[in-house]
Amino acid sequence: MRPYEKDPSAIYAQSFATVRAEANLDRFPNGLDRLATRVIHACGMVEIADRLAFSEDAYTVGHHALAAGKPILCDCEMVGAGIIRRYLPAENEVIVTLNDPSTPDRATAMRNTRSAAAVELWEPHIAGAVVAIGNAPTALFHLLDLIDQGFPKPAVILGFPVGFVGAAESKAELAANPRGCEFVALRGRKGGSALAAAAVNALAAGLPEDRS
Amino acid sequence: MRPYEKDPSAIYAQSFATVRAEANLDRFPNGLDRLATRVIHACGMVEIADRLAFSEDAYTVGHHALAAGKPILCDCEMVGAGIIRRYLPAENEVIVTLNDPSTPDRATAMRNTRSAAAVELWEPHIAGAVVAIGNAPTALFHLLDLIDQGFPKPAVILGFPVGFVGAAESKAELAANPRGCEFVALRGRKGGSALAAAAVNALAAGLPEDRS
């Protein structure tokens, strides 16, 4: 078998160098290039750089929210599992309510998905927090509906729901009207938990060279 | 805001119908079309159908391994978090050794990554088991090296490491020489934990219509 790179630092450095060489990051201001780099690294697709929508201060505001100790609200366990805890600046709480015992009954009563029902349980935590959606379009749609009805607003919404039903539409709605929140969203069908978690990790820690 | 689909069954049905309409699944034998459908659903990319390499009996052998109670070995916590426990036919154990306390020192001694070191801890569990790699190329490379040195063989290797350094190469090595194991691998840079977990979920449960 051919030799392969085994040094973690060299792997990171080569990876991020490839992103910088192949992706067009010039249009990302205020630290968002770091977020884009980590998201691209998480999926191996430089082409998504051209499909990331964002508000100008999403990185700065998200970074400060974490530094201030605000929690991170995730739509599924995989996003929570991908958040690198040692990066978090204030031992921030990572909250996933999808498997709360009340969620199935709430979903039935709402005539919506469990993912949407779980968002309602974010109410005591969401003001000024970081939201990371990596799976369910219905979670993002319902969050936007709730905000329209007066739900407290998060500082930043990281919109990476994935798939063929509602993913593109929910992210387009977020980008068209972020309801006064900062946001990053990957337009189209692509997305996923790894991308949402990578976006959180970027808000927390930038890139490895920021930390050396 | 426009109305959106809120019924989980309808969302699944529309999603899988889209996959069937847009992806070419004709070349997948023996249940592998179900695995391909779930993997595509997990990433929103029908185009990956043409980049999946596999051995003919990977689905059947993996399905039977799970039915026989064999464990699932994952290279990272995110893959483990994406495995839907209620699908597992025998309350199969999901094992992630990446954060074992011995892993960092072992990695240093090996001059390899923590992901590679963690694979060595699979030895008591791996014979006839299902391996799901969704993050680290070094985990897949090192597993293949270990098998070459007489390590016990898993029944199936689900190869979905992602990224710019070693991902394409490790999956090409698996596809070129699967060492007598059944396998599925997504060629190229793309991959990730959600895809690896989706492949496990397919081995466990097929598609939703298989269960109705």
Side-chain angles (χ1 to χ4, degrees):
Chain A
M1 203 163 80
R2 289 183 303 180
Y4 61 94
E5 183 60 65
K6 299 176 181 178
D7 176 51
S9 303
I11 293 170
Y12 263 114
Q14 282 183 44
S15 295
F16 292 132
T18 301
V19 176
R20 276 189 287 266
E22 296 187 19
N24 180 3
L25 302 177
D26 293 346
R27 71 186 181 94
F28 294 102
N30 307 326
L32 281 162
D33 56 327
R34 296 174 199 153
L35 187 147
T37 299
R38 274 207 186 261
V39 170
I40 291 167
H41 175 248
C43 64
M45 296 188 280
V46 295
E47 63 270 28
I48 66 164
D50 301 325
R51 303 279 284 165
L52 281 168
F54 56 85
S55 58
E56 293 257 320
D57 294 320
Y59 184 87
T60 313
V61 168
H63 186 74
H64 286 134
L66 294 178
K70 294 292 181 181
I72 303 154
L73 301 162
C74 311
D75 71 325
C76 64
E77 295 291 342
M78 283 193 85
V79 175
I83 294 171
I84 301 174
R85 299 303 198 275
R86 68 178 183 279
Y87 284 177
L88 297 177
E91 298 184 357
N92 305 252
E93 199 175 358
V94 176
I95 298 172
V96 187
T97 53
L98 182 61
N99 294 313
D100 186 275
S102 72
T103 300
D105 286 348
R106 186 183 288 265
T108 303
M110 289 166 58
R111 296 173 179 267
N112 204 324
T113 65
R114 287 195 304 121
S115 296
V119 169
E120 301 200 345
L121 301 177
W122 295 354
E123 187 165 12
H125 312 288
I126 197 173
V130 172
V131 166
I133 296 178
N135 182 42
T138 52
L140 179 52
F141 271 130
H142 193 55
L143 173 61
L144 297 175
D145 264 344
L146 288 171
I147 292 174
D148 286 340
Q149 295 159 24
F151 205 64
K153 290 184 187 184
V156 183
I157 301 172
L158 304 169
F160 293 89
V162 61
F164 303 103
V165 179
E169 294 84 351
S170 64
K171 292 178 286 189
E173 175 67 30
L174 172 63
N177 179 4
R179 276 83 174 165
C181 304
E182 301 291 331
F183 78 98
V184 180
L186 179 58
R187 290 187 185 278
R189 293 170 165 183
K190 294 188 182 82
S193 301
L195 286 69
V200 173
N201 293 333
L203 293 185
L207 292 175
E209 60 260 35
D210 298 333
R211 300 171 57 77
S212 58
Chain B
M1 203 164 78
R2 287 183 303 180
Y4 60 95
E5 183 58 67
K6 299 175 180 178
D7 175 51
S9 303
I11 293 170
Y12 263 114
Q14 283 183 43
S15 295
F16 292 131
T18 301
V19 176
R20 275 189 288 266
E22 296 187 19
N24 180 2
L25 302 177
D26 293 345
R27 70 186 182 94
F28 294 102
N30 305 327
L32 281 162
D33 57 326
R34 294 174 200 154
L35 187 148
T37 299
R38 275 206 186 260
V39 170
I40 290 167
H41 174 247
C43 64
M45 296 188 279
V46 295
E47 62 271 28
I48 66 165
D50 301 325
R51 304 280 283 163
L52 280 168
F54 56 84
S55 59
E56 294 257 320
D57 294 321
Y59 185 87
T60 313
V61 168
H63 185 75
H64 286 134
L66 293 179
K70 294 291 181 181
I72 304 154
L73 301 162
C74 311
D75 72 324
C76 64
E77 295 291 343
M78 282 192 86
V79 175
I83 294 172
I84 301 174
R85 299 302 197 276
R86 68 179 182 279
Y87 284 178
L88 297 177
E91 297 184 357
N92 306 254
E93 200 175 357
V94 176
I95 299 172
V96 187
T97 53
L98 182 61
N99 294 314
D100 186 274
S102 71
T103 301
D105 286 348
R106 185 183 288 264
T108 303
M110 289 166 58
R111 297 173 179 268
N112 205 325
T113 64
R114 287 195 304 121
S115 296
V119 170
E120 301 200 347
L121 301 177
W122 294 354
E123 186 165 11
H125 312 287
I126 198 173
V130 172
V131 166
I133 297 178
N135 182 41
T138 53
L140 179 52
F141 271 130
H142 194 55
L143 173 61
L144 297 175
D145 264 344
L146 288 171
I147 292 173
D148 286 340
Q149 294 159 26
F151 205 64
K153 291 184 186 182
V156 183
I157 302 172
L158 304 169
F160 294 89
V162 60
F164 303 103
V165 179
E169 295 83 351
S170 64
K171 292 178 284 189
E173 175 67 31
L174 172 62
N177 179 5
R179 277 82 174 165
C181 304
E182 302 292 333
F183 78 99
V184 180
L186 179 58
R187 290 187 185 278
R189 292 169 165 184
K190 295 187 182 83
S193 301
L195 287 69
V200 174
N201 293 334
L203 292 185
L207 292 175
E209 60 260 34
D210 299 333
R211 299 169 59 78
S212 58

